């Protein structure tokens, strides 16, 4: 794949790594393997190698999906990036897990847990979804981001309630 990125102002990628404004182009090659999607157990993997702004990047991603029963599913994803830039090199890891529970056709509970080694943050997203009538949705969503630097401390919490109701005229 060909990549193009046009930065109008400096981009702080992470502490100590700032990409200067300008137009960057690079190429990437990807090798990907996916198992059959309609199975109860699925495994996907990919490896990417190529440029990255004015340096290079190698990335490995592995995803594991398990649909235990029709209403219950579990997935886990792991990604690692090895980045080499003129300012230096670094490695990032991202681990996430999803749990899906469909209580009925119109009622579901979805959970996402995610850890980012670069920002040292753990993120949690809990979403309750009810569909009272076709075209209408009721959501209750809880998000929390925690810092794992030293003591486990909450950085951000939010509770959102949303109702979309279709009025047919």
């Amino acid at each position: 794949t060909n990549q193009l990125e046009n930065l109008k102002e400096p981009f702080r990628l992470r502490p100590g790594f700032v990409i200067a404004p300008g137009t960057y182009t690079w190429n990437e090659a990807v090798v990907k393997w996916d198992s059959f999607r309609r199975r109860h157990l699925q495994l996907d993997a990919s490896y990417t190698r190529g440029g990255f702004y004015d340096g290079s990047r190698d990335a490995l991603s592995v995803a594991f999906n398990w649909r235990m029963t029709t209403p219950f599913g579990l997935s886990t994803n792991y990604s690692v990036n090895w980045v080499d830039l003129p300012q230096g090199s670094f490695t990032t890891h991202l681990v996430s897990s999803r749990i899906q529970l469909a209580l009925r056709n119109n009622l579901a509970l979805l959970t996402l847990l995610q850890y980012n080694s670069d920002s040292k943050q753990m993120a949690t997203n809990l979403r309750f979804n009810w569909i009272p009538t076709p075209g209408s949705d009721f959501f209750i969503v809880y998000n929390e981001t925690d810092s794992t630097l030293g003591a486990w401390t909450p950085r951000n919490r939010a509770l959102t309630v949303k109702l979309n109701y279709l009025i047919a005229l």
Side-chain angles (χ1 to χ4, degrees):
T1 56
N2 301 319
Q3 304 291 335
L4 170 72
E5 189 80 34
N6 187 17
L7 301 176
K8 299 286 185 192
E9 52 191 60
F11 172 54
R12 183 178 171 266
L13 189 58
R14 66 183 307 214
F17 291 83
V18 177
I19 308 297
T23 301
Y24 296 88
T25 59
W26 66 87
N27 298 315
E28 292 179 333
V30 179
V31 175
K32 187 169 182 162
W33 180 81
D34 295 333
S35 64
F36 187 59
R37 297 249 178 232
R38 296 184 78 52
R39 303 260 186 225
H40 286 282
L41 194 59
Q42 177 189 350
L43 179 66
D44 300 338
S46 68
Y47 179 76
T48 304
R49 182 175 181 96
F52 186 72
Y53 294 102
D54 50 359
S56 63
R57 178 179 72 113
D58 290 289
L60 175 66
S61 179
V62 178
F64 170 77
N65 299 306
W66 185 22
R67 174 155 275 180
M68 296 174 210
T69 63
T70 301
F72 188 71
L74 175 67
S75 68
T76 301
N77 301 305
Y78 172 71
S79 298
V80 60
N81 288 276
W82 298 277
V83 179
D84 187 20
L85 294 170
Q87 300 98 321
S89 300
F90 62 92
T91 302
T92 64
H93 302 269
L94 182 68
V95 180
S96 65
S97 185
R98 292 181 188 270
I99 301 169
Q100 177 180 339
L101 179 59
L103 303 167
R104 295 191 317 232
N105 287 346
N106 66 343
L107 194 62
L109 182 63
L110 304 149
T111 303
L112 170 67
L113 304 170
Q114 182 171 287
Y115 175 72
N116 183 328
S117 72
D118 200 42
S119 63
K120 304 286 189 261
Q121 289 184 345
M122 178 72 179
T124 304
N125 174 277
L126 302 170
R127 183 176 65 185
F128 171 80
N129 181 211
W130 173 47
I131 304 170
T133 60
S136 300
D137 285 291
F138 176 71
F139 294 98
I140 300 174
V141 180
Y142 176 75
N143 287 305
E144 181 172 312
T145 305
D146 299 309
S147 173
T148 60
L149 292 170
W152 193 275
T153 54
R155 296 182 71 172
N156 188 15
R157 289 181 177 158
L159 180 66
T160 306
V161 178
K162 178 181 176 182
L163 173 65
N164 293 330
Y165 194 79
L166 176 66
I167 299 173
L169 299 176

